[in-house]
Amino acid sequence: MSTNATVANSNVTARPSVAIVGLGWLGEPLALQLLAQGYRVAGSTTAQDKAERLANAGIQTLVWDINVPLPTQWPAALTANTVVLCVPPGKVSDYANTLGRVAGLAAEGGVQRLLFTSATSVYGGLGLKTEADTGPDSERGERMWAAEQAVQNSGVGEVLCLRLSGLVGGSREPGRFLAGGSFEGGDEPINLVAQEDLLRFIPAILGRNNWPKTLNASAPHHPSRREFYGQAAQLQNLPAPRFSGGGQGKSIDGSALGRWLDLDYQVTNWFAWLAERNQK
């Protein structure tokens, strides 16, 4: 099969298997964690040097750019029972169609379950939002909602769209996000989830059966943008962002995920998280 791809490390065993399409900010540490937990882990990246590094760590790695014409079959290097589709919109043209086709290839290749890291941009309007409140009111939200539908309709037997709030932790330092800028909506609540919580939740999801179709991942603390980003910038010795106006905004309810997994969020106070992170 010709796939515009190269493969590193082709060892296959009988261990539980997961393939992660997109070994980036979340996909790479997730792959390493699952490997440590006994999974056989494969994944894809667009960078040859990263593929070689991860192969040396024991992760079968495919160099694969899904923006180029897709293969006619699911890549053998990504053979697995479960796929985690972990590719953000900024990395893919024609996002919904491309992800739907990738998921369709996975279904044809025998993948039984697919976890898609979606986003809470699928919620529009104001106030508290649960999984039942889908209704995008932005171009970004419409694109993500279309991607969810394409993946759900791909033919994979079990699909979970895990809707992530804003991502922080690891290399994503929130103190740098808005530092020194001018913004509206200072009173709007933040909706964030930390990398360390996702690295607890996703392996727990993979260990469960009977997945729901959608779940939100969003920490239960929602201080204002003014408070959070001001404190985050200050701790990094960066100029604080300037906010004008108030704004009600929306708050994402991520509690259903914790209840389903019987697993609490570690990050329950963002100011404590910022202070602890600043001390490391």
Side-chain angles (χ1 to χ4, degrees):
M1 177 184 65
S2 175
T3 64
N4 292 306
T6 58
V7 182
N9 189 0
S10 58
N11 179 47
V12 176
T13 74
R15 289 178 289 166
S17 55
V18 174
I20 301 173
V21 179
L23 293 168
W25 175 85
L26 177 58
E28 178 178 349
L30 176 62
L32 293 169
Q33 180 155 322
L34 292 172
L35 186 70
Q37 293 178 359
Y39 284 84
R40 177 173 63 82
V41 184
S44 73
T45 177
T46 58
Q48 181 66 45
D49 58 344
K50 178 182 281 191
E52 294 172 358
R53 173 169 55 80
L54 292 176
N56 289 334
I59 297 167
Q60 179 167 282
T61 307
L62 178 73
V63 180
W64 188 22
D65 182 356
I66 63 174
N67 284 298
V68 301
L70 293 174
T72 57
Q73 294 179 313
W74 183 245
L78 300 181
T79 299
N81 293 326
T82 302
V83 162
V84 179
L85 191 54
C86 197
V87 183
K91 301 289 186 180
V92 181
S93 58
D94 196 7
Y95 189 63
N97 181 55
T98 299
L99 264 60
R101 291 172 61 205
V102 169
L105 288 175
E108 293 171 5
V111 170
Q112 300 168 12
R113 305 193 302 171
L114 188 148
L115 188 153
F116 170 42
T117 55
S118 183
T120 55
S121 57
V122 299
Y123 301 113
L126 305 174
L128 186 66
K129 303 295 177 181
T130 69
E131 287 80 357
D133 296 321
T134 307
D137 60 1
S138 66
E139 181 180 348
R140 181 181 178 186
E142 292 283 359
R143 178 177 55 189
M144 189 60 71
W145 172 235
E148 284 194 7
Q149 293 177 300
V151 171
Q152 290 279 10
N153 294 328
S154 63
V156 176
E158 198 168 17
V159 176
L160 167 59
C161 294
L162 184 64
R163 295 169 172 169
L164 310 183
S165 284
L167 304 173
V168 294
S171 62
R172 295 181 62 86
E173 173 50 62
R176 296 195 294 265
F177 289 179
L178 306 182
S182 297
F183 306 92
E184 296 183 353
D187 292 337
E188 293 181 8
I190 63 165
N191 296 286
L192 300 173
V193 63
Q195 185 187 71
E196 52 261 48
D197 267 328
L198 292 175
L199 294 178
R200 294 168 60 247
F201 286 135
I202 294 177
I205 291 170
L206 298 181
R208 291 289 300 269
N209 296 317
N210 300 317
W211 288 358
K213 289 185 177 297
T214 57
L215 284 169
N216 297 332
S218 187
H221 188 210
H222 304 277
S224 72
R225 299 173 72 217
R226 180 182 288 107
E227 293 172 310
F228 176 78
Y229 288 110
Q231 180 73 2
Q234 179 182 348
L235 288 172
Q236 292 294 309
N237 296 313
L238 295 169
R242 299 175 298 278
F243 290 98
S244 61
Q248 178 184 349
K250 60 189 174 189
S251 296
I252 306 300
D253 183 353
S255 62
L257 173 62
R259 290 194 301 271
W260 182 60
L261 293 174
D262 193 21
L263 192 63
D264 293 331
Y265 286 82
Q266 283 189 334
V267 179
T268 57
N269 184 297
W270 284 114
F271 300 116
W273 179 84
L274 286 171
E276 181 180 356
R277 180 177 171 86
N278 191 59
Q279 293 171 359
K280 292 182 180 179

